[in-house]
Amino acid sequence: MATILRQLRTKGLKTLLNRTKFYGVAPRNFAAESRWLSSASKPSSAPGGAGATTGRKLLTDTAGPPPGGRAVRGGPVSWASLGLLVVTGVGLITYYDREKKRRIEDLKQAPPEAKAGPSVGKAAIGGPFKLLNHEGKVVTDRDFVGNWTLIYFGFTFCPDICPDELTKLAEAVDQIEKKIGVQVVPVFISIDPERDTVEQVREYLKEFHPRLVGLTGSVNDIRQVAREYRVYYMKTEEEGTDYLVDHSIIMYLMDPNMDFVKFFGKNYNADGLTDGVVEEIQKYGKK
């Protein structure tokens, strides 16, 4: 019996120490308590062994949870702090949901012109220019007013892309005229003014279409018109006068007022370009 009591006292003290560390309770004088528990655990002279009962009750009470709430199993978080976290999260979700609904209502009540946004208006493509044509005459953007115009930016020393695009442009212009009887003016603007002189452009365009208009000019003039039409171009692989020019591969359709209508990329073939231009001309006539 004495051996069993000693094992219970030892196991009880270890349990008390472990729980004390877990709950963060300040350390106590366990040596003194051990002696007290030892004496309290012995059978009392009083009837019923009151001393043993008192010792067991003290051990149970001391190992209870700290003041302020019972700890959540698996971590030092109280139910009170967990409840506060949940309440805060619900409050934030409710707030943002209410703000979202309020903003949607504001947009619904806004006037039509405010809801239209930046999609209203025409693209900022095109503008005034002053260049030399392939005959050496000064030409401005106003000389093309009254006609539908397809403009392509390239250079005469281009090995493959520019000849392909100009061939496609020439075919489309003829097909458009056959389909709806409208003569679209094809225009080639050089982005290589250092080599594309008036004479060079004139000789180059003979290979494509008799009505194809070639334009060139000074470095500043070409830079200005390229900026107006949002055209990218840059010299590459430069070795003296032998170089290529990387540039946008786009055709710009301009209406009879020289306002931009639509652009057509390299992915359009001659038939696709023809159909696209015809569609835009027909829509313009119905306005």
Side-chain angles (χ1 to χ4, degrees):
M1 180 63 71
T3 303
I4 294 174
L5 288 174
R6 281 196 300 271
Q7 291 177 351
L8 288 174
R9 287 198 298 270
T10 303
K11 187 178 296 185
L13 286 173
K14 288 182 179 179
T15 302
L16 176 62
L17 180 59
N18 290 335
R19 293 191 177 184
T20 301
K21 289 181 179 179
F22 177 79
Y23 290 116
V25 179
R28 300 171 61 178
N29 190 342
F30 290 108
E33 290 192 10
S34 177
R35 290 194 298 271
W36 187 87
L37 287 171
S38 178
S39 61
S41 301
K42 294 178 181 179
S44 173
S45 58
T53 304
T54 305
R56 288 197 298 273
K57 183 178 181 182
L58 175 62
L59 179 61
T60 304
D61 293 343
T62 305
R70 186 160 61 88
V72 179
R73 181 176 297 178
V77 181
S78 68
W79 288 110
S81 60
L82 181 60
L84 179 61
L85 179 62
V86 172
V87 171
T88 303
V90 172
L92 288 173
I93 293 173
T94 302
Y95 170 77
Y96 284 115
D97 185 61
R98 185 171 61 249
E99 284 296 306
K100 179 181 178 181
K101 291 179 180 179
R102 184 182 64 80
R103 289 177 180 271
I104 292 174
E105 289 300 322
D106 290 344
L107 289 174
K108 289 181 178 179
Q109 296 175 5
E113 58 271 15
K115 291 189 290 184
S119 61
V120 176
K122 297 180 180 180
I125 296 177
F129 59 79
K130 186 177 181 181
L131 300 169
L132 293 174
N133 68 9
H134 59 279
E135 296 177 350
K137 297 180 181 179
V138 176
V139 174
T140 71
D141 56 297
R142 296 295 89 189
D143 291 314
F144 296 95
V145 172
N147 299 288
W148 285 90
T149 309
L150 266 174
I151 302 176
Y152 176 76
F153 289 80
F155 64 110
T156 64
F157 288 82
C158 180
D160 45 25
I161 294 178
C162 292
D164 291 344
E165 291 299 294
L166 289 176
T167 299
K168 179 172 67 178
L169 174 60
E171 292 178 4
V173 165
D174 287 340
Q175 290 183 33
I176 293 167
E177 186 174 4
K178 290 179 181 179
K179 280 191 172 185
I180 59 176
V182 175
Q183 283 194 346
V184 175
V185 179
V187 177
F188 168 82
I189 300 179
S190 171
I191 39 83
D192 185 17
E194 297 177 24
R195 294 182 299 185
D196 285 348
T197 61
V198 170
E199 294 76 12
Q200 174 67 23
V201 172
R202 181 171 61 248
E203 292 300 315
Y204 181 71
L205 297 185
K206 288 180 180 179
E207 303 178 14
F208 300 104
H209 198 279
R211 291 194 287 110
L212 184 57
V213 178
L215 300 177
T216 187
S218 67
V219 172
N220 288 335
D221 291 339
I222 296 301
R223 183 182 298 116
Q224 186 262 333
V225 68
R227 186 182 301 114
E228 294 287 352
Y229 282 82
R230 307 296 187 266
V231 174
Y232 159 81
Y233 69 98
M234 183 180 67
K235 287 183 180 180
T236 61
E237 302 178 10
E238 184 173 1
E239 294 182 6
T241 57
D242 186 15
Y243 59 85
L244 296 176
V245 182
D246 186 22
H247 62 92
S248 306
I249 306 174
I250 295 175
M251 294 185 191
Y252 299 89
L253 177 63
M254 313 299 289
D255 69 17
N257 295 316
M258 278 300 283
D259 291 329
F260 170 74
V261 177
K262 188 176 181 179
F263 65 83
F264 300 89
K266 189 175 182 295
N267 56 310
Y268 283 81
N269 57 22
D271 292 336
L273 178 60
T274 299
D275 294 339
V277 173
V278 168
E279 180 182 357
E280 294 300 326
I281 292 176
Q282 290 176 340
K283 286 196 302 186
Y284 184 86
K286 294 177 181 179
K287 292 181 180 179

